[in-house]
Amino acid sequence: MEHKSQAKIISCNYDNTAICAGAARISTTEGDSDEVFEKSKNNPNNEKLIKKVLQSGHRSTVEHAVFTLSMRNVSVYVEQFFIEFRLASFTVKSRRYVDFARQGYYIPDGLPEAEQDFYREYMDMLFDAYQKLLLNDIPKEDARFLLPYSFNSNFYCTLNARELINLIRAAKYGRGRGIPELNALADQIVEQLKEVFPCILDEIAPPPAVSGERTEDGAFFHTAALSEDPIFRTEDEAGEVEMLNSPAAPMKLLEAACKLSGSLSDSPLEMGELILSQRPRELEQLGYTFSISDVTLSGITHLVRHRMQSIIVPPIQTADFGRYIMPRSISNSEKAREIYTDAIVKAHKAVISLQKNVTLKKYIYYFALSGNLMNVMTTVNARELLLFIRLRTCNRAQWEVKNAAVRMLKELREHFPELFDLYGPSCYVCGVCPEGDKSCGKMKDVRERFSERGTKALI
């Protein structure tokens, strides 16, 4: 099924121009905040003022304008591009629970007939194999590894005007430059902004060329050299974790932070009380950097949705398209393994042949599979790690991100057991399962596994 990608502003805050103009005036105008806002209502100089403030470099003013975008039938490649903007909020249709067999996929405009036939045959073959896996009782979360990165995604994105400017500029002139679908979606948003918030349009103009500036053009990244045959990684082999950096004296840092915040007087630091407190800001002083190798493209989406981290995800165009995950549910079924392997072998041969096709090679990112493997790197503090590990070591978490989270926890416990021995799934940390009737029903076993004496059993 073919659909056109669409970006639509479905909501923006009421009186956003007056609000941003009021924000621009409040630091230099007499009166309280309500009075300044009243003076800004229907003020004919609002747009001129906002433009002047933006030109002076004070962009925080437009952070008070908030927009919600409905991204309709865009490729999952676009979704991946969007969700790396960490100051935005996203809700995405889940591939773990929704059947995507008939969701359709993106087709680039203007493909010659022969190339379009090749493109469609490739995509249809993968969607057909995906559906066959579902019919053979393979879970959706594992069958999805065959979905190509052209498949249609639908999601909501909410962000302020400053981050929206950053997103549009990146899509048109930054790392999205040369990606026609991203360029077209950015243009759609700009057209709508002309109606609802035209005062920021000057900020979206092409940037001036800077000598020596690094440029990124998504159409001209090159894929890694492909092996003759596809290489499979099992569940146990994928998602290896290495801690690259950690605080040299974590206890000293934590105690200093607790003293400054007033949560620690003369009494010893109680780690259990700290991690259960409503606002454990002290944990943010402990930063950890990890490399995670052989993560599927699907798995990366589970990682990047945690906003409070600094994560590096390589461009999909540079991925080694020759490495693939082999889920246990598929490996254990002779019929499913045959369907899955056959589809990947065909996909692998097709991608190899693309190296000689100038027209299609520039769209190589749509030929990536959700089950292709990449390496990522992330830096995250102990407070965000507490949330991440509570959610992602739970039995209900997707198995790939769960394995990575458990391996991260093992590294953390070896580094700073006084704190991280207390980390684990919510039932272990809080003593209560938050999943209600969706609970795994194994809380006693889970708590025992993650207890201090069970640390070595984590992996």
Side-chain angles (χ1 to χ4, degrees):
M1 262 190 301
E2 180 179 355
H3 300 286
K4 289 296 183 182
S5 300
Q6 182 182 82
K8 184 177 181 181
I9 298 175
I10 58 174
S11 177
C12 56
N13 54 324
Y14 177 72
D15 246 353
N16 54 20
T17 303
I19 293 169
C20 292
R25 291 186 175 99
I26 196 166
S27 61
T28 58
T29 303
E30 295 290 338
D32 62 33
S33 54
D34 285 348
E35 290 170 341
V36 172
F37 177 64
E38 289 300 321
K39 291 177 182 177
S40 297
K41 283 184 176 180
N42 302 315
N43 190 316
N45 294 320
N46 282 345
E47 289 192 20
K48 182 179 179 181
L49 174 62
I50 293 171
K51 289 181 180 180
K52 180 180 178 181
V53 171
L54 287 172
Q55 288 170 359
S56 69
H58 297 290
R59 293 181 174 84
S60 62
T61 300
V62 295
E63 292 177 17
H64 299 286
V66 179
F67 302 86
T68 296
L69 308 177
S70 169
M71 306 302 296
R72 180 171 176 264
N73 293 326
V74 300
S75 72
V76 72
Y77 176 82
V78 168
E79 176 196 307
Q80 181 71 44
F81 181 92
F82 269 60
I83 62 177
E84 290 185 34
F85 286 83
R86 293 183 297 114
L87 298 184
S89 300
F90 301 91
T91 303
V92 178
K93 188 183 292 292
S94 172
R95 273 81 79 179
R96 293 187 70 193
Y97 303 112
V98 177
D99 182 345
F100 270 70
R102 292 180 175 82
Q103 292 291 324
Y105 53 84
Y106 176 81
I107 301 176
D109 291 331
L111 287 180
E113 183 176 354
E115 279 75 10
Q116 184 168 145
D117 288 345
F118 182 95
Y119 186 96
R120 287 179 179 273
E121 288 173 9
Y122 180 91
M123 304 304 169
D124 290 342
M125 178 273 295
L126 290 166
F127 274 83
D128 181 62
Y130 166 85
Q131 190 167 29
K132 288 178 180 176
L133 289 179
L134 297 184
L135 293 174
N136 279 271
D137 298 322
I138 297 301
K140 296 182 184 72
E141 69 176 11
D142 290 347
R144 66 176 171 167
F145 291 130
L146 284 184
L147 291 175
Y149 250 51
S150 64
F151 78 82
N152 285 335
S153 174
N154 288 264
F155 63 94
Y156 296 128
C157 169
T158 298
L159 69 178
N160 65 49
R162 183 175 187 174
E163 189 70 351
L164 182 57
I165 292 169
N166 293 336
L167 190 154
I168 293 171
R169 286 169 64 90
K172 289 175 68 67
Y173 314 116
R175 59 192 173 92
R177 184 168 64 94
I179 309 293
E181 185 185 11
L182 280 169
N183 302 160
L185 290 167
D187 288 341
Q188 290 178 29
I189 298 170
V190 169
E191 284 300 310
Q192 294 168 72
L193 286 173
K194 290 178 181 178
E195 298 293 325
V196 297
F197 203 50
C199 54
I200 63 170
L201 293 178
D202 290 346
E203 296 294 304
I204 300 169
V210 178
S211 178
E213 182 180 23
R214 186 179 69 172
T215 59
E216 296 177 286
D217 191 332
F220 297 102
F221 283 120
H222 297 288
T223 56
L226 289 175
S227 57
E228 185 176 346
D229 298 309
I231 298 170
F232 291 96
R233 294 283 185 264
T234 66
E235 290 188 13
D236 293 332
E237 293 171 328
E240 287 295 330
V241 169
E242 180 183 0
M243 185 186 291
L244 301 178
N245 193 38
S246 59
M251 183 64 81
K252 184 177 179 180
L253 275 174
L254 206 52
E255 288 178 340
C258 288
K259 286 180 180 178
L260 280 174
S261 67
S263 61
L264 179 64
S265 53
D266 296 329
S267 58
L269 173 59
E270 289 290 339
M271 295 291 192
E273 292 181 9
L274 177 60
I275 67 171
L276 292 176
S277 65
Q278 293 295 312
R279 193 170 180 259
R281 291 292 302 272
E282 299 86 353
L283 294 176
E284 296 174 21
Q285 306 307 311
L286 305 181
Y288 296 86
T289 300
F290 300 91
S291 68
I292 310 175
S293 60
D294 285 337
V295 186
T296 68
L297 297 186
S298 289
I300 288 172
T301 65
H302 290 278
L303 292 173
V304 297
R305 67 184 56 179
H306 289 267
R307 319 311 298 161
M308 297 298 105
Q309 63 174 319
S310 296
I311 187 167
I312 295 177
V313 178
I316 292 173
Q317 294 90 322
T318 67
D320 179 352
F321 285 23
R323 292 185 296 153
Y324 306 85
I325 193 68
M326 175 59 77
R328 190 171 290 117
S329 65
I330 291 174
S331 178
N332 290 342
S333 165
E334 182 177 352
K335 181 63 175 176
R337 187 171 64 252
E338 179 183 345
I339 294 168
Y340 187 79
T341 304
D342 179 64
I344 284 182
V345 168
K346 289 178 180 176
H348 187 74
K349 290 180 179 178
V351 171
I352 290 176
S353 72
L354 286 188
Q355 309 306 311
K356 299 178 181 178
N357 189 312
V358 177
T359 301
L360 285 178
K361 185 179 179 180
K362 64 182 180 181
Y363 297 114
I364 190 72
Y365 40 89
Y366 292 130
F367 288 80
L369 301 191
S370 300
N372 277 129
L373 299 168
M374 298 181 74
N375 302 332
V376 300
M377 176 179 175
T378 185
T379 298
V380 57
N381 66 53
R383 183 178 183 181
E384 185 65 13
L385 280 167
L386 177 60
L387 174 63
F388 175 79
I389 290 171
R390 280 179 56 181
L391 295 175
R392 303 303 180 183
T393 60
C394 171
N395 274 350
R396 282 186 47 77
Q398 190 267 343
W399 61 261
E400 182 183 12
V401 73
K402 177 184 174 184
N403 288 350
V406 171
R407 288 166 175 158
M408 290 168 70
L409 179 56
K410 184 173 184 291
E411 294 276 326
L412 290 164
R413 286 186 170 186
E414 291 174 356
H415 166 74
F416 189 17
E418 295 89 342
L419 173 64
F420 293 111
D421 275 354
L422 302 177
Y423 280 41
S426 290
C427 65
Y428 173 77
V429 175
C430 305
V432 178
C433 175
E435 296 292 338
D437 58 3
K438 294 182 178 180
S439 170
C440 70
K442 301 176 180 178
M443 190 170 88
K444 181 179 178 182
D445 293 340
V446 172
R447 285 173 57 83
E448 183 174 340
R449 180 188 175 206
F450 282 88
S451 67
E452 185 175 353
R453 60 185 178 276
T455 300
K456 292 181 180 180
L458 288 181
I459 300 297

